[in-house]
Structure formats: C-alpha cells, structure tokens
Amino acid sequence: MHNGFDGTAEELHFFGALAAVERGYTVLAFDGPGMPGPRHHQGLVFRPDWENVITPVIDFAEAIPEVDNSRIALLGLSMGGVLAPRAAAFEHRLAALIAVDGLYDLGETSVRNIPGTRQEAERLLRAESAPELDAALDQIMAKDPIARWALNHGMYVMGVDTPRAFNASYLDYTLADGIAEKIQCPTLVCDAAEDEFFKGQPEQLYEHLTCPKTLMLFTAAEGAGAHCHPGAMRHAIARIYDWLGDTLDGTLTDTRA
C-alpha cells in the first residue's frame, strides 16, 4: 500500500496497515518517488509511469517468505488512486487493486478553472510563455494559503519551478486513452460523496474499467463522505477489507456497494 500527493508510508499504519495485519495479511507500506522519504533523501520526484515503481516492489514482496505470490493486492490512497491503477494496467501479477479514492485523470483538476476548451487549457499550461495564466496563479497563491501550500508542495514533489509547470505535470497522470481498460485484476474503486477535490472521478474510472469491478460509495451519513474518509476510518477500512477478503476468496458478486 502507498499514499499520494503529500502522505507518508508511516500514516498508513493508521489507514489500514494495522487493520490488515489484524486480519492476517502481510503488509508492505512504502513511499514511491515524489513521496516524503524518496523525495527528501534521494531527490526522487513523482513519475507517471507508476508501473516502473510497483514492479520492483512486487519483485521484493515475492521474495518475502510469508507472502502468497498469488494473492498480492495493491492499495493506493488519494493521488495513489490514479497511480496504483496506472501500475495495475501494466503489471499483471496483482490479484486485486484498491483505489481510495478512484481517480481517472488528474489533468482535469489543472484545466477546470482555465477558460476555453481542454485543448486550449493544455496548450497554455505547456506553453513556453503564458504570462496571464502565470499572473492568475500568483494571485491565487497570494490570496489563498491552502492553494499556496498546494502549489509550492506540488512544485517540490514534481521537481518543477513554477505553479504553471506543476499544473502542467498533472496532465500526464491519466488513465485515459485505453490505459484503464488494460487493468485485468478485480478492482475496488472507492468514492466519497462529498469529495472536495475529485468529485466525479471515481465514477469515470469505474465506467472505463473492463475487469471485474466494484464501485463503493461512502456517505456523509456514515461520517465517511470526505476525501479518503478520515471521519470514519474504521468503518471505511472494514468495508474495504471485507471486499478484499471476498475477492481473494473468489466469493465476490456485487459491482456497486
């Protein structure tokens, strides 16, 4: 299991790692490139071809004596909801995939507030010069401390020098153009009813999957309606691991939960 844009491997102790051990699973929690350990200590930034991260992790896991190589599942949290599916599209040793929550196209978050078509927005983001867009992003950073943190952190973890370059980097993190359709293992796509960051993206991913698939909605009434369900962690993890147990045992029949 791995985290996303700003989370650590250590956090995963509380988000499901300990709970999985209690259910008898062997857990390997790790940071990939762009995540805190590799970014701070090795200078490694995020990369969209996440299969080149996960394949050596699976190689390592398969060498652990207590691991059943036919029952290796991958869980990606937050931005990991696009990274883990990307890896699963090309790394077919996985027995199950869990996206908490599902993401189809990170680029949508970069273009949604830029006037014009998606094509025009992408052109501006990738242009050698776009002073008006640069000025708009600077204004947002000056007024909004959360946006200022997100853009500064994004530049750091992507290894770029400007807010616009960070937004442009997100365009490469997508499961479009047939990538999602390459996933073969049973896949759980989690969805938060009140996700403030990626509303609608889990459904997009779910609709593009051609593998055995489940869309699992978490609601505000459960306390789990926010992004990655921090208000009802025990409840969310219980539902997720019930799905995983049924999947690995071959008894899963539902597609929406």
Side-chain angles (χ1 to χ4, degrees), residues 40-61:
H40 284 291
H41 299 299
Q42 296 166 279
L44 297 177
V45 298
F46 275 112
R47 52 188 296 172
D49 57 339
W50 206 248
E51 64 275 12
N52 288 314
V53 175
I54 297 302
T55 288
V57 172
I58 295 177
D59 291 342
F60 178 84

Side-chain angles (χ1 to χ4, degrees), residues 169-193:
S169 70
Y170 262 13
L171 300 174
D172 298 324
Y173 292 78
T174 179
L175 302 172
D177 300 321
I179 295 175
E181 287 81 354
K182 295 180 185 292
I183 298 171
Q184 297 178 3
C185 63
T187 297
L188 173 62
V189 180
C190 297
D191 186 9

Side-chain angles (χ1 to χ4, degrees), residues 173-219:
Y173 292 78
T174 179
L175 302 172
D177 300 321
I179 295 175
E181 287 81 354
K182 295 180 185 292
I183 298 171
Q184 297 178 3
C185 63
T187 297
L188 173 62
V189 180
C190 297
D191 186 9
E194 298 182 345
D195 194 320
E196 64 271 40
F197 304 114
F198 305 118
K199 185 68 176 173
Q201 291 252 7
E203 291 89 344
Q204 276 187 286
L205 172 55
Y206 177 79
E207 292 301 328
H208 280 270
L209 293 173
T210 57
C211 58
K213 59 185 180 177
T214 298
L215 181 65
M216 184 176 287
L217 178 65
F218 294 90
T219 67

Side-chain angles (χ1 to χ4, degrees), residues 3 7-15 17 29-31 36-37:
N3 223 309
T8 66
E10 288 81 3
E11 283 181 80
L12 296 174
H13 174 86
F14 304 100
F15 190 96
F30 62 96
D31 283 341

